Amino acid sequence: VLGEKRIRNFFTSPSEMAFFLILNGALLLLAETLRLRAPVVNTEKGSDERISRLGSVKAFGVGIAQSLALIPGFSRSGASMAGGLMFGLSNEDAARFAFLLATPIIGGAAVYKLPDLLSAANRSILGPALAGSIIAGVAAFLSTRFLLRFFQTKRLNPFAAYCFVVGGGLFVYFMTR
């Protein structure tokens, strides 16, 4: 909240966003390397209990990693997962923790922007904004369910490759325009 305008104005170039998308791909590859070193999950304990053993200092570190998402092109969940893996969570628990961390951020952003939406100047878009919010919520729920299952056994490499291809293509496009 304190640095919103400064951050928004600092990273305004589309080529910068494309470059940071490439860096996001590198972060995901780093996370994949960390995943391979992650501890074997003790399935006798539930995910919540395993995450709670992370401790406050390491959980704060995951939050710091998540702050990379303030930079356009970086994935909030990817940065959070990388942070979780860095601090010893399993792949599945890092993904779960990353999605749990989204709740207060998304809720806080909604509360922060709600007065703008409810202003007299924006009343005409209230209906479409509400419909879009509901659809986005359902899509987020379904995506999260899919990704939590996906990350139980699959790798981050496809997402990293996507970031490299799209980021590289956009970077070349914006630099040659």
Side-chain angles (χ1 to χ4, degrees):
V1 170
L2 298 175
E4 177 188 9
K5 288 184 177 137
R6 178 178 285 156
I7 291 169
R8 191 181 316 154
N9 293 334
F10 188 70
F11 300 112
T12 58
S13 162
S15 59
E16 288 173 347
M17 182 276 310
F19 176 73
F20 288 126
L21 187 59
I22 294 167
L23 289 182
N24 186 63
L27 176 69
L28 293 176
L29 285 182
L30 171 66
E32 181 59 30
T33 301
L34 294 171
R35 184 194 70 80
L36 295 174
R37 294 188 213 154
V40 175
V41 175
N42 180 356
T43 55
E44 293 174 13
K45 297 178 180 160
S47 181
D48 290 341
E49 184 178 340
R50 292 189 305 265
I51 290 171
S52 71
R53 293 180 185 260
L54 185 63
S56 299
V57 173
K58 290 180 179 178
F60 184 77
V62 176
I64 295 296
Q66 180 178 242
S67 69
L68 280 174
L70 292 170
I71 302 169
F74 273 97
S75 161
R76 188 211 54 79
S77 57
S80 300
M81 285 183 64
L85 291 166
M86 186 182 315
F87 290 110
L89 289 177
S90 69
N91 193 40
E92 177 184 353
D93 292 339
R96 180 166 163 69
F97 192 48
F99 291 122
L100 288 172
L101 284 176
T103 305
I105 290 168
I106 293 170
V111 168
Y112 179 67
K113 291 294 187 178
L114 195 58
D116 290 343
L117 181 62
L118 297 176
S119 71
N122 291 327
R123 291 203 194 256
S124 64
I125 64 166
L126 191 56
L130 180 61
S133 296
I134 291 169
I135 292 169
V138 170
F141 174 78
L142 295 174
S143 298
T144 301
R145 282 189 64 179
F146 167 76
L147 289 172
L148 284 173
R149 287 188 182 143
F150 180 87
F151 289 128
Q152 287 175 353
T153 58
K154 304 292 190 284
R155 298 171 171 250
L156 295 169
N157 296 358
F159 300 103
Y162 165 83
C163 290
F164 286 130
V165 170
V166 172
L170 288 172
F171 187 76
V172 168
Y173 172 77
F174 289 126
M175 293 305 289
T176 58
R177 262 182 41 173

